[in-house]
Protein backbone atom coordinates (compact mmCIF):
# COMPACT_ATOMS: atom_id res chain seq x y z
CA UNK A 1 0.00 0.00 0.00
CA UNK A 2 2.45 2.71 1.19
CA UNK A 3 6.25 2.71 1.12
CA UNK A 4 6.32 4.87 4.25
CA UNK A 5 3.85 6.14 6.86
CA UNK A 6 4.75 9.32 8.74
CA UNK A 7 2.72 10.79 11.61
CA UNK A 8 2.93 14.54 12.18
CA UNK A 9 2.26 16.01 15.64
CA UNK A 10 2.11 19.76 16.22
CA UNK A 11 0.68 19.54 19.73
CA UNK A 12 1.85 16.36 21.50
CA UNK A 13 1.28 15.64 25.17
CA UNK A 14 2.32 13.72 28.20
CA UNK A 15 -0.84 11.86 29.16
CA UNK A 16 -0.97 11.53 32.94
CA UNK A 17 -3.64 9.23 34.41
CA UNK A 18 -4.31 9.45 38.14
CA UNK A 19 -6.50 7.11 40.18
CA UNK A 20 -8.14 8.58 43.30
CA UNK A 21 -9.52 6.66 46.28
CA UNK A 22 -11.93 9.49 47.17
CA UNK A 23 -13.70 12.39 45.50
CA UNK A 24 -13.81 14.94 48.29
CA UNK A 25 -14.12 18.68 47.54
CA UNK A 26 -13.29 19.73 51.11
CA UNK A 27 -10.26 17.55 51.89
CA UNK A 28 -7.23 16.39 49.87
CA UNK A 29 -7.79 13.26 47.80
CA UNK A 30 -5.20 10.51 47.95
CA UNK A 31 -3.67 9.21 44.71
CA UNK A 32 -3.57 5.42 44.63
CA UNK A 33 -1.85 5.00 41.27
CA UNK A 34 -0.41 7.08 38.44
CA UNK A 35 0.81 6.41 34.90
CA UNK A 36 2.39 8.63 32.24
CA UNK A 37 2.51 7.99 28.48
CA UNK A 38 3.63 9.98 25.47
CA UNK A 39 0.41 11.15 23.86
CA UNK A 40 -1.50 13.32 21.47
CA UNK A 41 -3.37 11.76 18.54
CA UNK A 42 -0.46 11.44 16.10
CA UNK A 43 1.83 10.08 18.80
CA UNK A 44 -0.78 7.55 19.92
CA UNK A 45 -1.17 6.35 16.33
CA UNK A 46 2.60 5.84 16.05
CA UNK A 47 2.70 3.99 19.40
CA UNK A 48 -0.06 1.58 18.35
CA UNK A 49 1.49 0.94 14.96
CA UNK A 50 4.79 0.13 16.68
CA UNK A 51 3.00 -2.25 19.06
CA UNK A 52 1.35 -3.99 16.10
CA UNK A 53 4.69 -4.38 14.36
CA UNK A 54 4.11 -1.93 11.50
CA UNK A 55 6.93 0.49 10.51
CA UNK A 56 6.01 4.13 11.08
CA UNK A 57 7.98 7.34 11.49
CA UNK A 58 6.80 9.93 14.06
CA UNK A 59 7.72 13.58 13.45
CA UNK A 60 6.64 16.73 15.20
CA UNK A 61 7.31 19.55 17.61
CA UNK A 62 7.76 19.31 21.38
CA UNK A 63 8.69 21.54 24.31
CA UNK A 64 12.33 21.53 25.37
CA UNK A 65 11.62 21.82 29.11
CA UNK A 66 10.42 18.21 29.41
CA UNK A 67 11.72 16.79 26.13
CA UNK A 68 13.92 14.22 27.86
CA UNK A 69 10.95 12.62 29.61
CA UNK A 70 8.87 12.73 26.40
CA UNK A 71 11.63 11.01 24.43
CA UNK A 72 12.12 8.37 27.13
CA UNK A 73 8.44 7.42 26.86
CA UNK A 74 8.58 7.25 23.06
CA UNK A 75 11.66 5.03 23.22
CA UNK A 76 9.95 2.79 25.80
CA UNK A 77 7.14 2.19 23.28
CA UNK A 78 9.66 1.51 20.47
CA UNK A 79 8.52 4.51 18.41
CA UNK A 80 10.81 5.65 15.59
CA UNK A 81 10.71 9.41 16.21
CA UNK A 82 12.31 12.77 15.55
CA UNK A 83 10.89 15.86 17.24
CA UNK A 84 12.05 19.45 16.97
CA UNK A 85 12.37 21.11 20.37
CA UNK A 86 10.83 24.54 20.92
CA UNK A 87 10.88 26.86 23.91
CA UNK A 88 8.45 25.80 26.63
CA UNK A 89 7.05 22.48 27.83
CA UNK A 90 5.03 19.78 26.15
CA UNK A 91 1.58 19.92 27.76
CA UNK A 92 0.63 17.42 30.44
CA UNK A 93 -2.96 16.26 29.97
CA UNK A 94 -4.66 14.89 33.06
CA UNK A 95 -7.13 12.03 33.35
CA UNK A 96 -8.65 11.60 36.81
CA UNK A 97 -10.27 8.24 37.55
CA UNK A 98 -12.56 8.60 40.57
CA UNK A 99 -13.74 5.72 42.81
CA UNK A 100 -16.90 4.94 40.81
CA UNK A 101 -14.68 4.60 37.69
CA UNK A 102 -16.01 7.76 36.06
CA UNK A 103 -13.30 9.72 34.27
CA UNK A 104 -12.55 13.44 34.13
CA UNK A 105 -10.29 14.41 31.20
CA UNK A 106 -8.42 17.73 31.24
CA UNK A 107 -6.54 18.72 28.06
CA UNK A 108 -4.12 21.62 28.35
CA UNK A 109 -3.39 24.07 25.54
CA UNK A 110 0.28 23.29 24.84
CA UNK A 111 3.35 25.37 23.97
CA UNK A 112 3.43 28.21 21.44
CA UNK A 113 4.47 27.12 17.95
CA UNK A 114 6.89 29.53 16.28
CA UNK A 115 7.32 30.32 12.59
CA UNK A 116 10.91 29.10 12.84
CA UNK A 117 9.72 25.84 14.39
CA UNK A 118 7.27 25.27 11.52
CA UNK A 119 10.02 25.96 8.99
CA UNK A 120 12.30 23.41 10.64
CA UNK A 121 9.50 20.84 10.71
CA UNK A 122 8.77 21.47 7.03
CA UNK A 123 12.41 20.76 6.18
CA UNK A 124 12.31 17.54 8.21
CA UNK A 125 9.12 16.31 6.50
CA UNK A 126 10.56 17.14 3.07
CA UNK A 127 13.62 15.04 3.96
CA UNK A 128 11.34 12.11 4.80
CA UNK A 129 9.48 12.47 1.49
CA UNK A 130 12.55 12.70 -0.70
CA UNK A 131 12.94 9.51 -2.70
CA UNK A 132 10.56 7.64 -0.36
CA UNK A 133 8.05 6.54 -2.98
CA UNK A 134 4.39 6.42 -1.96
CA UNK A 135 4.02 8.15 1.43
CA UNK A 136 1.06 8.60 3.80
CA UNK A 137 1.29 11.67 6.03
CA UNK A 138 -0.96 11.32 9.08
CA UNK A 139 -1.92 14.74 10.42
CA UNK A 140 -3.71 14.18 13.70
CA UNK A 141 -4.31 16.17 16.85
CA UNK A 142 -5.50 19.50 18.16
CA UNK A 143 -4.37 22.98 17.18
CA UNK A 144 -1.49 24.54 19.14
CA UNK A 145 -2.52 27.81 20.86
CA UNK A 146 -1.21 30.24 18.21
CA UNK A 147 -1.93 28.28 15.02
CA UNK A 148 -5.18 28.73 13.07
CA UNK A 149 -7.03 26.04 11.17
CA UNK A 150 -6.26 27.88 7.92
CA UNK A 151 -2.53 28.02 8.62
CA UNK A 152 -2.55 24.32 9.62
CA UNK A 153 -4.31 23.49 6.34
CA UNK A 154 -1.85 25.58 4.33
CA UNK A 155 1.07 23.76 6.00
CA UNK A 156 -0.52 20.40 5.19
CA UNK A 157 -1.29 21.31 1.57
CA UNK A 158 2.27 22.48 1.01
CA UNK A 159 3.24 18.79 0.84
CA UNK A 160 0.60 17.83 -1.73
CA UNK A 161 2.17 16.24 -4.79
CA UNK A 162 2.12 12.97 -6.67
CA UNK A 163 2.81 10.05 -4.37
CA UNK A 164 1.90 11.89 -1.14
CA UNK A 165 -1.39 11.07 0.60
CA UNK A 166 -3.03 12.47 3.73
CA UNK A 167 -4.86 10.84 6.63
CA UNK A 168 -6.69 13.30 8.90
CA UNK A 169 -7.91 13.00 12.47
CA UNK A 170 -8.63 16.57 13.55
CA UNK A 171 -11.65 18.28 15.07
CA UNK A 172 -11.30 21.69 13.40
CA UNK A 173 -11.67 21.03 9.65
CA UNK A 174 -15.00 21.68 7.94
CA UNK A 175 -16.45 19.83 4.95
CA UNK A 176 -15.17 22.56 2.63
CA UNK A 177 -11.64 21.95 3.96
CA UNK A 178 -11.97 18.21 3.43
CA UNK A 179 -13.12 18.76 -0.13
CA UNK A 180 -10.09 20.98 -0.79
CA UNK A 181 -7.57 18.64 0.84
CA UNK A 182 -9.06 15.47 -0.71
CA UNK A 183 -7.46 13.16 1.86
CA UNK A 184 -6.92 9.43 1.59
CA UNK A 185 -8.71 8.96 4.93
CA UNK A 186 -10.61 10.82 7.64
CA UNK A 187 -11.62 9.44 11.04
CA UNK A 188 -14.01 11.66 12.96
CA UNK A 189 -15.98 10.54 15.96
CA UNK A 190 -19.69 11.30 15.91
CA UNK A 191 -19.36 14.66 17.71
CA UNK A 192 -16.63 15.73 15.27
CA UNK A 193 -18.66 14.48 12.30
CA UNK A 194 -21.59 16.62 13.42
CA UNK A 195 -19.35 19.66 13.84
CA UNK A 196 -17.74 19.05 10.46
CA UNK A 197 -21.08 18.79 8.68
CA UNK A 198 -23.00 21.42 10.63
CA UNK A 199 -25.80 18.87 11.02
CA UNK A 200 -27.28 17.03 13.99
CA UNK A 201 -27.09 13.66 12.18
CA UNK A 202 -29.79 12.27 14.45
CA UNK A 203 -30.20 8.93 12.70
CA UNK A 204 -27.76 6.24 11.66
CA UNK A 205 -29.10 6.54 8.14
CA UNK A 206 -28.09 10.21 8.02
CA UNK A 207 -24.57 9.35 9.22
CA UNK A 208 -24.22 6.66 6.55
CA UNK A 209 -25.59 8.98 3.84
CA UNK A 210 -23.08 11.72 4.68
CA UNK A 211 -20.17 9.29 4.96
CA UNK A 212 -21.03 7.78 1.57
CA UNK A 213 -21.32 11.24 0.00
CA UNK A 214 -17.78 12.12 1.10
CA UNK A 215 -16.28 9.24 -0.86
CA UNK A 216 -16.38 11.44 -3.94
CA UNK A 217 -13.21 13.07 -2.64
CA UNK A 218 -12.13 10.89 0.32
CA UNK A 219 -11.02 7.29 -0.24
CA UNK A 220 -11.89 6.04 3.25
CA UNK A 221 -14.27 7.46 5.88
CA UNK A 222 -14.23 5.95 9.37
CA UNK A 223 -16.83 7.31 11.80
CA UNK A 224 -16.32 6.02 15.32
CA UNK A 225 -19.51 5.76 17.36
CA UNK A 226 -17.96 4.99 20.75
CA UNK A 227 -19.55 2.00 22.44
CA UNK A 228 -21.95 1.62 19.48
CA UNK A 229 -19.17 0.66 17.07
CA UNK A 230 -18.12 2.15 13.76
CA UNK A 231 -19.32 3.06 10.28
CA UNK A 232 -16.94 2.62 7.37
CA UNK A 233 -17.56 4.06 3.92
CA UNK A 234 -15.22 3.67 0.97
CA UNK A 235 -15.39 4.20 -2.75
CA UNK A 236 -16.07 0.54 -3.43
CA UNK A 237 -17.56 -0.79 -0.19
CA UNK A 238 -19.01 0.09 3.19
CA UNK A 239 -19.96 -1.60 6.42
CA UNK A 240 -21.61 -1.06 9.79
CA UNK A 241 -19.66 -2.64 12.63
CA UNK A 242 -21.32 -3.31 16.00
CA UNK A 243 -18.92 -3.87 18.90
CA UNK A 244 -19.64 -5.82 22.10
CA UNK A 245 -20.13 -4.26 25.50
CA UNK A 246 -16.86 -4.52 27.40
CA UNK A 247 -15.60 -3.31 30.79
CA UNK A 248 -14.20 0.20 30.36
CA UNK A 249 -11.09 1.43 32.13
CA UNK A 250 -10.20 4.34 29.85
CA UNK A 251 -11.51 5.60 26.51
CA UNK A 252 -8.54 7.94 25.99
CA UNK A 253 -6.83 7.08 22.72
CA UNK A 254 -9.43 4.53 21.58
CA UNK A 255 -10.10 6.39 18.34
CA UNK A 256 -6.37 6.74 17.67
CA UNK A 257 -6.01 3.01 18.22
CA UNK A 258 -8.79 2.27 15.74
CA UNK A 259 -7.17 4.44 13.07
CA UNK A 260 -3.74 2.92 13.63
CA UNK A 261 -5.07 -0.64 13.42
CA UNK A 262 -7.01 0.21 10.24
CA UNK A 263 -3.82 1.51 8.60
CA UNK A 264 -1.85 -1.53 9.75
CA UNK A 265 -4.46 -3.83 8.24
CA UNK A 266 -4.42 -1.98 4.91
CA UNK A 267 -0.64 -2.21 4.89
CA UNK A 268 -0.92 -5.97 5.40
CA UNK A 269 -3.15 -6.20 2.31
CA UNK A 270 -6.60 -6.61 3.88
CA UNK A 271 -9.60 -5.23 2.03
CA UNK A 272 -11.00 -1.97 3.49
CA UNK A 273 -14.01 -3.50 5.31
CA UNK A 274 -11.81 -6.16 6.90
CA UNK A 275 -9.37 -3.39 7.87
CA UNK A 276 -12.25 -1.43 9.43
CA UNK A 277 -13.14 -4.52 11.47
CA UNK A 278 -9.57 -4.64 12.76
CA UNK A 279 -9.80 -0.96 13.63
CA UNK A 280 -13.06 -1.43 15.53
CA UNK A 281 -11.68 -4.49 17.33
CA UNK A 282 -8.52 -2.66 18.37
CA UNK A 283 -10.40 0.43 19.55
CA UNK A 284 -12.78 -1.71 21.60
CA UNK A 285 -9.97 -3.74 23.12
CA UNK A 286 -8.09 -0.57 24.06
CA UNK A 287 -10.80 0.71 26.43
CA UNK A 288 -10.00 -2.19 28.75
CA UNK A 289 -6.49 -0.84 29.28
CA UNK A 290 -5.41 1.61 31.95
CA UNK A 291 -4.48 5.14 30.93
CA UNK A 292 -3.38 5.28 27.31
CA UNK A 293 -1.92 1.79 27.16
CA UNK A 294 -1.49 0.22 23.72
CA UNK A 295 -3.15 -2.94 22.44
CA UNK A 296 -1.39 -6.11 21.38
CA UNK A 297 -1.97 -8.25 18.30
CA UNK A 298 -3.45 -10.93 20.57
CA UNK A 299 -5.98 -8.47 22.00
CA UNK A 300 -7.15 -7.45 18.53
CA UNK A 301 -7.42 -11.07 17.34
CA UNK A 302 -9.39 -11.96 20.46
CA UNK A 303 -11.92 -9.15 19.89
CA UNK A 304 -12.54 -9.76 16.17
CA UNK A 305 -14.92 -12.75 16.59
CA UNK A 306 -17.09 -10.66 18.92
CA UNK A 307 -17.94 -8.07 16.26
CA UNK A 308 -21.14 -8.02 14.21
CA UNK A 309 -20.71 -6.67 10.68
CA UNK A 310 -23.16 -5.88 7.89
CA UNK A 311 -22.77 -4.12 4.56
CA UNK A 312 -24.17 -0.65 3.94
CA UNK A 313 -25.38 1.08 0.80
Amino acid sequence: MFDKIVTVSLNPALDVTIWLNTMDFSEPNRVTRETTDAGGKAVNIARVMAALGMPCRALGLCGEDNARRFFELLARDRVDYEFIQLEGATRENLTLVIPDQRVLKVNRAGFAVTIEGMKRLRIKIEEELRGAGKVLLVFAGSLPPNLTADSYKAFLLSFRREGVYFALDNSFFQLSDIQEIRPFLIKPNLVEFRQMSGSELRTEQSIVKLARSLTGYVDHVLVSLGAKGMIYAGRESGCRIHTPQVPVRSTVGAGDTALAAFLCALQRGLNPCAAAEEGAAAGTASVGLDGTGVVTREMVDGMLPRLTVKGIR
Side-chain angles (χ1 to χ4, degrees), residues 212-225:
R212 295 289 287 175
S213 73
L214 296 183
T215 59
Y217 44 88
V218 182
D219 290 51
H220 305 285
V221 180
L222 290 170
V223 184
S224 55
L225 306 176

Side-chain angles (χ1 to χ4, degrees), residues 190 193-195 197 199-204 206-207 210:
L190 182 53
F193 208 40
R194 286 168 171 160
Q195 292 172 346
S197 66
S199 172
E200 289 296 317
L201 299 175
R202 295 183 182 276
T203 66
E204 188 169 299
S206 66
I207 300 169
L210 177 59

Side-chain angles (χ1 to χ4, degrees), residues 20-33:
L20 304 176
N21 67 348
T22 60
M23 191 61 176
D24 192 327
F25 290 94
S26 60
E27 295 292 334
N29 295 279
R30 186 181 300 276
V31 174
T32 59
R33 189 156 58 99

Side-chain angles (χ1 to χ4, degrees), residues 94-173:
L94 301 177
T95 300
L96 302 180
V97 184
I98 61 178
D100 64 3
Q101 297 305 302
R102 283 187 298 166
V103 172
L104 175 66
K105 187 79 169 74
V106 181
N107 282 356
R108 292 176 171 174
F111 54 84
V113 171
T114 63
I115 294 176
E116 178 61 26
M118 294 296 287
K119 288 180 178 179
R120 292 171 61 192
L121 180 59
R122 180 190 304 278
I123 292 170
K124 179 54 57 182
I125 296 174
E126 291 287 359
E127 290 175 356
E128 294 290 333
L129 295 177
R130 196 170 299 125
K134 189 177 179 181
V135 179
L136 180 69
L137 295 178
V138 183
F139 284 87
S142 58
L143 281 173
N146 60 333
L147 198 67
T148 67
D150 284 342
S151 58
Y152 189 111
K153 181 176 67 174
F155 181 76
L156 184 157
L157 287 174
S158 69
F159 301 106
R160 184 160 66 181
R161 68 199 68 167
E162 185 177 354
V164 177
Y165 299 79
F166 303 121
L168 304 182
D169 190 1
N170 316 94
S171 60
F172 46 83
F173 285 135

